[in-house]
Amino acid sequence: MIRFFLIIFFLICFLIVSIPIFLAEWLIGKWNPAARDISSLRIVQWALKVISWLAGIQLTVIGEENVPKDTPVLYIGNHRSYFDIVVTYARCPLPTGYVSKKEMLRIPLLSRWMKFLHCQFLDRKDVRAGLQTILECINLVKSGVSITIFPEGTRSRGKSELDMLPFHEGSFKVASKSGCPIIPMAISGSSAIFEDHVPYVRRGHVTLEYGAPIYPSELSREDQKALGKYVSTRIAQMLASHTA
């Protein structure tokens, strides 16, 4: 339990201590929004790296050279743990917004930082609101901000990491409408850190693999129509290689 309490304690301390930093970031944003985006990104990435260290995560990263450093992308990953966000966001080279459930708006300070980072809050029960969220993501990509979506819609609880939920096809409109590449992410071992034995946080090995960029316009018409299935298959192949 000690790791769990250390993480909670650090998170609370970070949010409280970051209040004046948050105000400074707000002022920077009034003068130079791009500078605010980068500084906010690095601050939060530092905090996530500390959380990863406290959790005892040993991370192996594969294929990071596949991530463009000069253009926004749509990151698509499988999702089994809250720590998927911790390990992936800490490595984003460019300002990146994550699509999160709207319930996160209830958490003070944290939700404000998420807004600074261009995170979008999805109402999974409102189709019209969901469409508006996707449109906002498209506009963000066009403005230079990457987007991360876990298109299963929630954390998968299958016995095997290959037991992914179906990918929601609407998520992929961010790439098909903006023209940005899709970067598939395969994450294995993350649920063993926390979800497999809640409320205990236990040290463990997590593998994060970035696949080669996928450009929807270069795919066959059939694959473009079932882009979610195409990307899901690519991720499943990477996950299978982690245990081969």
Side-chain angles (χ1 to χ4, degrees):
M1 288 289 286
I2 188 169
R3 292 185 186 276
F4 176 81
F5 287 119
L6 283 174
I7 290 170
I8 296 299
F9 178 74
F10 170 77
L11 183 58
I12 292 172
C13 289
F14 170 76
L15 292 175
I16 293 173
V17 173
S18 70
I19 291 175
I21 300 174
F22 170 79
L23 294 174
E25 291 292 287
W26 180 78
L27 291 173
I28 292 172
K30 289 291 185 180
W31 169 64
N32 190 333
R36 192 277 310 275
D37 285 351
I38 290 295
S39 59
S40 294
L41 174 67
R42 302 306 179 215
I43 291 168
V44 172
Q45 285 181 324
W46 172 82
L48 293 177
K49 288 176 182 177
V50 173
I51 290 174
S52 183
W53 178 77
L54 290 172
I57 295 175
Q58 178 187 354
L59 180 64
T60 296
V61 181
I62 304 170
E64 198 160 23
E65 68 276 5
N66 288 318
V67 180
K69 306 299 190 294
D70 57 354
T71 187
V73 304
L74 172 63
Y75 295 101
I76 293 290
N78 61 304
H79 192 28
R80 291 178 63 85
S81 171
Y82 291 117
F83 282 94
D84 295 336
I85 300 163
V86 173
V87 299
T88 58
Y89 197 81
R91 308 195 73 85
C92 295
L94 298 175
T96 304
Y98 275 48
V99 174
S100 177
K101 57 186 179 182
K102 71 170 186 176
E103 286 77 10
M104 294 299 294
L105 287 167
R106 300 172 183 170
I107 305 176
L109 296 179
L110 178 60
S111 61
R112 180 57 57 183
W113 274 108
M114 291 176 71
K115 289 180 180 180
F116 261 14
L117 297 168
H118 302 290
C119 292
Q120 299 298 303
F121 301 91
L122 179 66
D123 185 346
R124 291 175 289 188
K125 297 179 181 179
D126 189 331
V127 176
R128 182 174 295 181
L131 177 59
Q132 184 59 40
T133 298
I134 295 300
L135 292 175
E136 289 292 339
C137 290
I138 293 170
N139 290 332
L140 283 170
V141 170
K142 289 181 177 179
S143 70
V145 177
S146 293
I147 293 293
T148 299
I149 299 178
F150 297 108
E152 292 169 277
T154 187
R155 285 173 291 126
S156 172
R157 293 174 173 82
K159 291 183 179 180
S160 168
E161 287 172 333
L162 295 176
D163 295 332
M164 293 183 288
L165 299 170
F167 282 15
H168 295 291
E169 293 290 338
S171 305
F172 298 89
K173 292 186 182 297
V174 176
S176 59
K177 296 296 184 182
S178 69
C180 76
I182 298 169
I183 302 297
M185 301 187 299
I187 309 162
S188 61
S190 58
S191 63
I193 304 299
F194 180 61
E195 279 74 12
D196 291 350
H197 36 71
V198 175
Y200 300 98
V201 175
R202 294 176 179 166
R203 69 168 61 242
H205 181 261
V206 176
T207 300
L208 167 61
E209 181 173 1
Y210 296 98
I214 299 170
Y215 293 86
S217 61
E218 297 178 359
L219 301 178
S220 67
R221 183 169 297 181
E222 181 179 349
D223 287 334
Q224 289 184 40
K225 289 182 179 179
L227 195 50
K229 182 177 181 181
Y230 179 86
V231 177
S232 175
T233 299
R234 288 277 296 272
I235 291 174
Q237 291 170 345
M238 291 191 287
L239 288 172
S241 72
H242 294 178
T243 57

